[in-house]
Amino acid sequence: WMCMDRVRTGVEGLDQLLYGGFLRGDAILVAGAPGTGKTSLGMQYLYNGITQFREPGLFITFEEFPERIYRDAENFGWDFRGLEDEGKLKVLFTSPEVLQHDIVRDQGIASEMIAEIGATRVVVDSISNLQGAAEDSRQFRESVYGLVNALKAESLTALLTRELREEEEIGTGPEEFVADGLILLTRSYVQAQ
C-alpha cells in the first residue's frame, strides 16, 4: 500500500484514511448534498497541493465565475488570485459542452492551461452539469467516461464533485463506475449541551 505513488491532500485526517493520499492519476468522485463542502474540499486539495507539495492545479467550474471562487477561497485564507498570478493555479469557467470538446480532443483552453502551469491536479466542479447537458443516461455516462479518460491522459489526479439531490442514493449514477474512488460528504448536526 505505502510504496505506491500517492498524492497527498494535506487535509488533516484524510491522508491517513487514504494510506497517504490518492493514487497518482486516479479520478475521485466527491459526492454530497448542497452545503456539505464538496467545492471547499476541492479548493483545499488544490491549495495544499500548490503550497505544501509544489503541485500546480487547475480548477474547472461550470457554475461559479472566477471572482466567486477567489472570494470563497479567500474566506479560508487561500489566495487563489495570487497563486494564479504566480502561474501555479488556473481557474477555468466554462460550459460542459466546451470542456468536452476541448479536453477530449486534446486541444483548446483546458489543455493549454494544463501545459502552461504543468498542472498535476484538477478539480471539476461539478459533473452534475454534464448530466444536464446530456440527452440521456447513456450520453451522460459517455461524457463522464470521456472526461475522466482525458484527465488521466493528461496525467492529472482529479477530484470530480457531484451534487446529490434529496433522497438520492449513492451507487446509482454511471459516474460512480467510472471513478477510481468515492468520497461521500454528509451533514451531521452536533447538538450543543
Side-chain angles (χ1 to χ4, degrees):
W1 287 92
M2 299 306 271
C3 63
M4 294 178 171
D5 191 12
R6 298 278 177 172
V7 176
R8 292 186 291 173
T9 67
V11 176
E12 194 173 327
L14 184 56
D15 289 331
Q16 290 86 334
L17 288 172
L18 298 169
Y19 298 100
F22 302 122
L23 288 175
R24 189 164 304 280
D26 273 3
I28 308 301
L29 183 66
V30 179
T36 52
K38 299 176 298 296
T39 302
S40 301
L41 177 62
M43 290 193 298
Q44 188 174 9
Y45 167 69
L46 290 180
Y47 181 80
N48 291 347
I50 294 164
T51 60
Q52 296 177 26
F53 310 115
R54 292 192 297 281
E55 293 192 1
L58 174 64
F59 189 94
I60 300 171
T61 177
F62 302 127
E63 297 170 350
E64 305 289 351
F65 286 102
E67 289 303 316
R68 178 104 184 249
I69 300 297
Y70 300 140
R71 187 198 69 202
D72 291 350
E74 194 64 45
N75 284 333
F76 290 103
W78 306 327
D79 184 8
F80 270 29
R81 195 185 312 271
L83 293 174
E84 208 163 17
D85 290 344
E86 293 171 29
K88 298 173 181 172
L89 173 74
K90 290 282 185 189
V91 177
L92 173 61
F93 176 57
T94 188
S95 72
E97 297 84 359
V98 169
L99 181 66
Q100 285 294 112
H101 190 268
D102 244 30
I103 203 158
V104 172
R105 287 173 183 74
D106 192 27
Q107 54 200 10
I109 190 90
S111 296
E112 283 174 23
M113 288 178 158
I114 292 163
E116 187 182 327
I117 64 170
T120 60
R121 298 175 181 225
V122 65
V123 172
V124 180
D125 188 38
S126 139
I127 64 164
S128 304
N129 296 76
L130 295 175
Q131 195 167 12
E135 291 171 24
D136 55 32
S137 62
R138 184 188 60 77
Q139 190 181 15
F140 174 52
R141 183 174 55 248
E142 285 174 6
S143 60
V144 171
Y145 188 73
L147 175 62
V148 167
N149 284 339
L151 296 173
K152 287 178 180 239
E154 296 277 3
S155 302
L156 296 166
T157 305
L159 289 192
L160 312 168
T161 68
R162 166 138 142 35
E163 188 104 349
L164 290 179
R165 294 179 297 281
E166 282 299 312
E167 306 303 313
E168 187 179 357
E169 286 291 315
I170 196 73
T172 56
E175 70 282 6
E176 290 142 37
F177 300 101
V178 174
D180 298 298
L182 169 68
I183 295 175
L184 178 61
L185 298 178
T186 59
R187 285 191 214 98
S188 61
Y189 299 96
V190 179
Q191 194 165 352
Q193 296 296 321

